[in-house]
mmCIF file of all heavy atoms in Angstrom:
data_model
loop_
_atom_site.group_PDB
_atom_site.id
_atom_site.type_symbol
_atom_site.label_atom_id
_atom_site.label_comp_id
_atom_site.label_asym_id
_atom_site.label_seq_id
_atom_site.Cartn_x
_atom_site.Cartn_y
_atom_site.Cartn_z
ATOM 1 N N GLY J 110 6.027 16.888 26.974
ATOM 2 C CA GLY J 110 6.239 18.246 26.375
ATOM 3 C C GLY J 110 7.449 18.330 25.413
ATOM 4 O O GLY J 110 7.783 19.276 24.940
ATOM 5 N N GLY J 138 1.932 23.219 16.533
ATOM 6 C CA GLY J 138 2.553 24.085 17.581
ATOM 7 C C GLY J 138 3.888 23.548 18.041
ATOM 8 O O GLY J 138 4.510 24.188 18.946
ATOM 9 N N MET J 159 -5.472 22.730 10.845
ATOM 10 C CA MET J 159 -5.970 22.359 9.538
ATOM 11 C C MET J 159 -4.735 21.961 8.756
ATOM 12 O O MET J 159 -3.873 22.809 8.512
ATOM 13 C CB MET J 159 -6.637 23.472 8.719
ATOM 14 C CG MET J 159 -7.840 24.040 9.558
ATOM 15 S SD MET J 159 -9.249 22.944 9.461
ATOM 16 C CE MET J 159 -9.784 23.095 7.755
ATOM 17 N N VAL J 167 1.372 7.289 4.446
ATOM 18 C CA VAL J 167 0.843 6.535 5.367
ATOM 19 C C VAL J 167 1.246 6.922 6.829
ATOM 20 O O VAL J 167 0.382 7.217 7.645
ATOM 21 C CB VAL J 167 1.141 5.103 5.133
ATOM 22 C CG1 VAL J 167 0.757 4.157 6.309
ATOM 23 C CG2 VAL J 167 0.475 4.600 3.777
ATOM 24 N N ILE J 174 -2.327 11.737 13.326
ATOM 25 C CA ILE J 174 -3.595 11.285 14.067
ATOM 26 C C ILE J 174 -3.155 11.069 15.490
ATOM 27 O O ILE J 174 -4.008 11.518 16.417
ATOM 28 C CB ILE J 174 -4.150 9.942 13.446
ATOM 29 C CG1 ILE J 174 -4.798 10.281 12.077
ATOM 30 C CG2 ILE J 174 -5.050 9.262 14.374
ATOM 31 C CD1 ILE J 174 -5.250 8.986 11.363
ATOM 32 N N THR J 198 -6.210 1.338 13.209
ATOM 33 C CA THR J 198 -5.681 2.071 14.316
ATOM 34 C C THR J 198 -6.601 3.040 14.818
ATOM 35 O O THR J 198 -6.798 3.325 16.013
ATOM 36 C CB THR J 198 -4.297 2.618 13.899
ATOM 37 O OG1 THR J 198 -3.420 1.624 13.526
ATOM 38 C CG2 THR J 198 -3.628 3.503 15.066
ATOM 39 N N ASN J 210 -12.846 10.554 13.009
ATOM 40 C CA ASN J 210 -13.787 10.182 11.899
ATOM 41 C C ASN J 210 -13.030 10.274 10.559
ATOM 42 O O ASN J 210 -12.258 11.232 10.389
ATOM 43 C CB ASN J 210 -15.034 11.105 11.930
ATOM 44 C CG ASN J 210 -16.169 10.405 11.309
ATOM 45 O OD1 ASN J 210 -16.254 9.226 11.355
ATOM 46 N ND2 ASN J 210 -17.027 11.175 10.696
ATOM 47 N N TRP J 217 -9.370 13.137 7.507
ATOM 48 C CA TRP J 217 -9.544 12.703 8.836
ATOM 49 C C TRP J 217 -9.852 13.825 9.743
ATOM 50 O O TRP J 217 -9.265 14.927 9.644
ATOM 51 C CB TRP J 217 -8.234 12.119 9.450
ATOM 52 C CG TRP J 217 -7.887 10.678 8.839
ATOM 53 C CD1 TRP J 217 -7.024 10.508 7.790
ATOM 54 C CD2 TRP J 217 -8.454 9.447 9.253
ATOM 55 N NE1 TRP J 217 -6.992 9.087 7.528
ATOM 56 C CE2 TRP J 217 -7.867 8.440 8.438
ATOM 57 C CE3 TRP J 217 -9.339 9.055 10.256
ATOM 58 C CZ2 TRP J 217 -8.148 7.182 8.527
ATOM 59 C CZ3 TRP J 217 -9.643 7.652 10.322
ATOM 60 C CH2 TRP J 217 -9.063 6.686 9.464
ATOM 61 N N GLY J 227 -7.870 2.587 28.765
ATOM 62 C CA GLY J 227 -7.583 1.315 28.240
ATOM 63 C C GLY J 227 -8.540 0.776 27.209
ATOM 64 O O GLY J 227 -9.662 1.391 27.043
ATOM 65 N N GLU J 238 0.524 -10.225 3.420
ATOM 66 C CA GLU J 238 0.718 -11.568 3.464
ATOM 67 C C GLU J 238 -0.255 -12.443 2.800
ATOM 68 O O GLU J 238 0.072 -13.345 1.964
ATOM 69 C CB GLU J 238 0.810 -11.971 4.955
ATOM 70 C CG GLU J 238 1.194 -13.442 5.249
ATOM 71 C CD GLU J 238 1.152 -13.985 6.560
ATOM 72 O OE1 GLU J 238 0.473 -13.224 7.465
ATOM 73 O OE2 GLU J 238 1.417 -15.130 6.805
ATOM 74 N N ASP J 290 -3.332 -22.676 -16.445
ATOM 75 C CA ASP J 290 -2.282 -23.130 -17.320
ATOM 76 C C ASP J 290 -1.535 -21.966 -18.010
ATOM 77 O O ASP J 290 -0.445 -22.032 -18.327
ATOM 78 C CB ASP J 290 -2.768 -24.098 -18.479
ATOM 79 C CG ASP J 290 -3.168 -25.390 -17.741
ATOM 80 O OD1 ASP J 290 -2.668 -25.600 -16.589
ATOM 81 O OD2 ASP J 290 -4.049 -26.045 -18.236
ATOM 82 N N GLU J 291 -2.264 -20.856 -18.247
ATOM 83 C CA GLU J 291 -1.707 -19.767 -18.943
ATOM 84 C C GLU J 291 -2.032 -18.440 -18.223
ATOM 85 O O GLU J 291 -3.258 -18.351 -17.837
ATOM 86 C CB GLU J 291 -2.123 -19.756 -20.369
ATOM 87 C CG GLU J 291 -1.327 -18.876 -21.248
ATOM 88 C CD GLU J 291 -1.719 -19.016 -22.708
ATOM 89 O OE1 GLU J 291 -1.516 -20.093 -23.260
ATOM 90 O OE2 GLU J 291 -2.305 -18.023 -23.263
ATOM 91 N N HIS J 302 -4.013 3.775 -1.257
ATOM 92 C CA HIS J 302 -5.366 3.087 -1.118
ATOM 93 C C HIS J 302 -6.473 3.983 -1.597
ATOM 94 O O HIS J 302 -6.413 5.214 -1.245
ATOM 95 C CB HIS J 302 -5.579 2.678 0.415
ATOM 96 C CG HIS J 302 -6.701 1.795 0.670
ATOM 97 N ND1 HIS J 302 -6.673 0.488 0.261
ATOM 98 C CD2 HIS J 302 -7.925 2.105 1.050
ATOM 99 C CE1 HIS J 302 -7.865 -0.032 0.622
ATOM 100 N NE2 HIS J 302 -8.614 0.886 1.036
ATOM 101 N N PHE J 335 12.381 -1.133 -7.598
ATOM 102 C CA PHE J 335 12.626 -2.208 -8.534
ATOM 103 C C PHE J 335 14.025 -2.822 -8.523
ATOM 104 O O PHE J 335 14.328 -3.607 -9.430
ATOM 105 C CB PHE J 335 12.313 -1.704 -10.013
ATOM 106 C CG PHE J 335 10.848 -1.627 -10.234
ATOM 107 C CD1 PHE J 335 10.343 -0.448 -10.812
ATOM 108 C CD2 PHE J 335 9.917 -2.698 -9.997
ATOM 109 C CE1 PHE J 335 9.039 -0.427 -11.063
ATOM 110 C CE2 PHE J 335 8.586 -2.644 -10.362
ATOM 111 C CZ PHE J 335 8.027 -1.406 -10.818
ATOM 112 N N ASP J 388 15.247 -6.134 0.594
ATOM 113 C CA ASP J 388 14.335 -5.541 1.417
ATOM 114 C C ASP J 388 13.145 -6.525 1.689
ATOM 115 O O ASP J 388 13.059 -7.487 1.021
ATOM 116 C CB ASP J 388 13.716 -4.231 0.871
ATOM 117 C CG ASP J 388 13.015 -4.366 -0.447
ATOM 118 O OD1 ASP J 388 11.759 -4.752 -0.268
ATOM 119 O OD2 ASP J 388 13.434 -4.018 -1.527
ATOM 120 N N SER J 406 17.949 -23.197 -4.549
ATOM 121 C CA SER J 406 18.358 -21.806 -4.399
ATOM 122 C C SER J 406 18.803 -21.554 -3.002
ATOM 123 O O SER J 406 18.224 -22.161 -2.050
ATOM 124 C CB SER J 406 17.390 -20.820 -4.816
ATOM 125 O OG SER J 406 17.084 -20.957 -6.212
ATOM 126 N N GLY J 410 20.103 -13.011 3.625
ATOM 127 C CA GLY J 410 19.488 -11.708 4.000
ATOM 128 C C GLY J 410 18.022 -12.033 4.598
ATOM 129 O O GLY J 410 17.229 -11.095 4.594
ATOM 130 N N ILE J 421 7.349 -17.706 8.456
ATOM 131 C CA ILE J 421 7.209 -17.799 7.029
ATOM 132 C C ILE J 421 7.635 -19.157 6.478
ATOM 133 O O ILE J 421 6.961 -19.889 5.723
ATOM 134 C CB ILE J 421 7.923 -16.694 6.236
ATOM 135 C CG1 ILE J 421 7.699 -16.786 4.744
ATOM 136 C CG2 ILE J 421 9.239 -16.675 6.555
ATOM 137 C CD1 ILE J 421 6.228 -16.637 4.390
#
Side-chain angles (χ1 to χ4, degrees):
M159 302 285 286
V167 170
I174 286 177
T198 299
N210 208 26
W217 288 97
E238 187 190 1
D290 291 335
E291 194 173 294
H302 190 75
F335 281 127
D388 67 75
S406 295
I421 185 65

